[in-house]
Amino acid sequence: MQRLRIMTGLLLTALLGPGFFSPVLAAAASPGMVRIPGGSYTPFYALKKGPVKLPAFELDAYPVSNADYLTFVRQHPRWRRDQVKPVFADRQYLLHWPDPLRILPEQAQQPVNYVSWFAARAYCQAQGKKLPTQDQWEFVARASESAADASADPRFRQRILDWYARPTPRELGSLGSTYRNVYGVYDMHGLLWEWVRDFNTVMVTGESREDSSFDRNLFCAGGALDGADPSYYASYMRYAFRSSLKGQYGLKNLGFRCAKEVTP
Amino acid sequence: MDHSQHAGLPAGAASDQSLYHLEASWQNQQAQTVSLAAAQGKVQLVATVYASCENACPRIIADMKAIEDKLAASSGAQLQLTLVSIDPEVDTPARLQALADKIQLSPRWQLLTGDPDDVLTLAALLGVQYKKISETDYAHSNIISVLNPAGEIVHQQQGLGVDPAQTVAAVQAALSAS
């Protein structure tokens, strides 16, 4: 379905000429990806200096599907569920597949879940991509259907919090089943959580992990972290969630998509 | 951790839980290319630091030195002490060499720098979290990990100024098991 959509886009572009579509689509260099113009943004846990400048990059329009991930596993047997080294993936890894090299028909267009960070990283590398950085992901996650930065929009915030408040459904939705943001990126919220490249560079006060409770003896200079906007509770939830993860974890509600640096 | 599944492996072979499966190459303070797996067969102590750290890093290095001192006489030859920079873009081999000279580290120590993605991956394997908090400073977990000869984490000393007795015992146990 994803490929069909892209093909249609290409066909129409060929018929109507480039530039007919929005700049977002016209500038998207890689298939299946969306070019995100960079910008200045203040992360929830900001450097003391304030906003960070983010160069332009490309992001997958959709989370990675089970079908795409199966293709990867076929090509890279070391990431098969029955061959992966436990140091890189826990026992939950791909446990929802009926077989190490088979998925259910309905899973094809569902986002892949139960993947470890190491596996997600390897998948992106195999595509010549990388996992998005936390800043890249959060930058795009601020966008609603109509605004690049909807982080101050109470309805947008509430929608995200409502989703966080719901338990993970037994069946994950299909790719594209939530919303398309102003950049043309789908499912940033509402489908599943996503790995980021630097998930382990998050530190939040609290007992998120028994071995990393926030303690000046455990963290050099740790007291210097302050939330830039404590009212943005959804961000806090995401940062806290990431800080509770280990790279080996496979979780039902955790998938990923890939990003790519672009040369300006 | 379940070790039963590789009970039949020869001593020192990389097991399923081994960090030595990480495909990454590093540069040591002499600008030589090295891999962590080069210490396979030895017990390796690993911690993350950055060279310009003035607060906790000297203390974590002091803690590692204390462990080294307790073990040097009995098992010095089978001991590898490794510091990995979490600031690889700043910490060149020359800077790391300067740090090693300044704090007079023995030849058992290697100070490594490498690709930022590999640093992230190693940190993920070690369960270390870190974050840049200013142009020059990082907040990071103070964890000393003990890798047995097969490259598995068998013990982690967390926090600063901890009594090293448990860690020393873990190193000795790992050596006698090999």
Side-chain angles (χ1 to χ4, degrees):
Chain A
M1 193 160 87
Q2 183 182 344
R3 182 163 300 142
L4 188 67
R5 215 174 267 135
I6 295 156
M7 290 294 288
T8 314
L10 287 175
L11 190 64
L12 286 175
T13 309
L15 288 173
L16 299 168
F20 181 86
F21 286 103
S22 66
V24 165
L25 186 58
S30 316
M33 300 189 88
V34 171
R35 188 187 166 96
I36 309 295
S40 167
Y41 115 106
T42 307
F44 175 67
Y45 272 85
L47 299 181
K48 272 193 164 175
K49 294 176 66 180
V52 295
K53 255 189 91 68
L54 211 58
F57 61 99
E58 292 177 3
L59 189 67
D60 284 350
Y62 298 90
V64 173
S65 67
N66 283 303
D68 288 342
Y69 198 80
L70 176 62
T71 306
F72 163 74
V73 170
R74 285 211 169 103
Q75 289 162 355
H76 300 86
R78 58 186 294 229
W79 291 104
R80 285 170 56 134
R81 159 178 104 185
D82 53 349
Q83 292 184 28
V84 70
K85 300 288 179 205
V87 71
F88 294 132
D90 68 13
R91 283 164 191 226
Q92 301 254 93
Y93 180 65
L94 297 181
L95 102 172
H96 60 308
W97 290 7
D99 183 270
L101 285 180
R102 193 167 65 86
I103 58 175
L104 300 170
E106 61 270 27
Q107 290 177 329
Q109 281 307 304
Q110 286 170 355
V112 66
N113 50 350
Y114 295 113
V115 276
S116 70
W117 176 83
F118 297 101
R121 179 179 181 269
Y123 175 94
C124 291
Q125 268 180 348
Q127 328 291 321
K129 304 176 186 176
K130 286 178 167 188
L131 284 172
T133 64
Q134 178 156 254
D135 283 343
Q136 287 172 334
W137 197 95
E138 289 287 331
F139 183 82
V140 177
R142 299 185 313 172
S144 66
E145 289 90 335
S146 53
D149 182 6
S151 55
D153 175 350
R155 278 170 313 165
F156 184 66
R157 284 186 185 189
Q158 195 54 48
R159 214 166 70 194
I160 298 169
L161 289 176
D162 287 349
W163 173 53
Y164 290 173
R166 278 197 300 274
T168 309
R170 238 148 71 87
E171 284 280 316
L172 290 177
S174 294
L175 300 186
S177 61
T178 64
Y179 71 105
R180 176 190 196 267
N181 73 13
V182 70
Y183 297 114
V185 176
Y186 291 81
D187 304 324
M188 289 299 283
H189 303 288
L191 198 55
L192 79 174
W193 302 68
E194 296 179 16
W195 283 111
V196 293
R197 192 191 309 171
D198 47 352
F199 79 98
N200 52 346
T201 68
V202 189
M203 282 185 280
V204 180
T205 312
E207 294 294 321
S208 52
R209 280 174 50 176
E210 81 287 358
D211 61 350
S212 298
S213 61
F214 205 82
D215 178 316
R216 266 161 221 274
N217 265 342
L218 277 178
F219 292 115
C220 158
L225 300 165
D226 297 306
D229 180 5
S231 69
Y232 198 359
Y233 187 62
S235 295
Y236 174 80
M237 301 265 292
R238 285 195 295 279
Y239 279 77
F241 174 67
R242 288 179 196 131
S243 76
S244 74
L245 297 173
K246 288 186 178 180
Q248 291 85 1
Y249 283 5
L251 298 175
K252 174 162 191 179
N253 59 348
L254 183 60
F256 69 101
R257 71 180 80 210
C258 307
K260 210 171 172 177
E261 319 286 330
V262 293
T263 38
Chain B
M1 205 183 290
D2 177 17
H3 289 263
S4 57
Q5 56 185 315
H6 44 77
L9 286 178
S15 72
D16 279 354
Q17 291 287 353
S18 175
L19 263 63
Y20 298 154
H21 291 297
L22 174 64
E23 287 168 5
S25 65
W26 308 86
Q27 277 201 304
N28 68 12
Q29 67 270 32
Q30 281 115 33
Q32 294 157 331
T33 302
V34 294
S35 80
L36 284 181
Q40 204 160 308
K42 295 184 177 184
V43 169
Q44 180 160 221
L45 299 175
V46 186
T48 52
V49 295
Y50 60 103
S52 55
C53 177
E54 289 175 354
N55 185 4
C57 309
R59 294 175 59 199
I60 202 166
I61 295 169
D63 285 353
M64 261 171 85
K65 267 184 161 172
I67 298 165
E68 182 192 16
D69 288 345
K70 294 209 186 310
L71 291 160
S74 58
S75 41
Q78 292 148 288
L79 204 58
Q80 170 74 60
L81 298 110
T82 301
L83 301 174
V84 180
S85 170
I86 52 172
D87 195 7
E89 270 146 17
V90 170
D91 285 343
T92 57
R95 268 190 80 138
L96 295 175
Q97 180 67 65
L99 175 66
D101 290 345
K102 189 174 124 196
I103 53 181
Q104 299 181 321
L105 297 177
S106 80
R108 291 186 196 102
W109 292 68
Q110 57 178 353
L111 287 72
L112 305 183
T113 185
D115 182 272
D117 276 349
D118 290 334
V119 175
L120 272 174
T121 310
L122 179 64
L125 285 168
L126 296 171
V128 168
Q129 301 194 0
Y130 63 97
K131 182 168 185 62
K132 190 165 192 165
I133 52 171
S134 76
E135 277 314 300
T136 52
D137 279 305
Y138 285 80
H140 63 101
S141 324
N142 290 312
I143 296 180
I144 298 171
S145 301
V146 178
L147 307 188
N148 70 11
E152 302 165 334
I153 300 175
V154 288
H155 180 76
Q156 291 194 312
Q157 174 173 314
Q158 297 177 10
L160 294 169
V162 177
D163 178 355
Q166 271 195 322
T167 307
V168 168
V171 173
Q172 284 165 336
L175 283 171
S176 61
S178 68

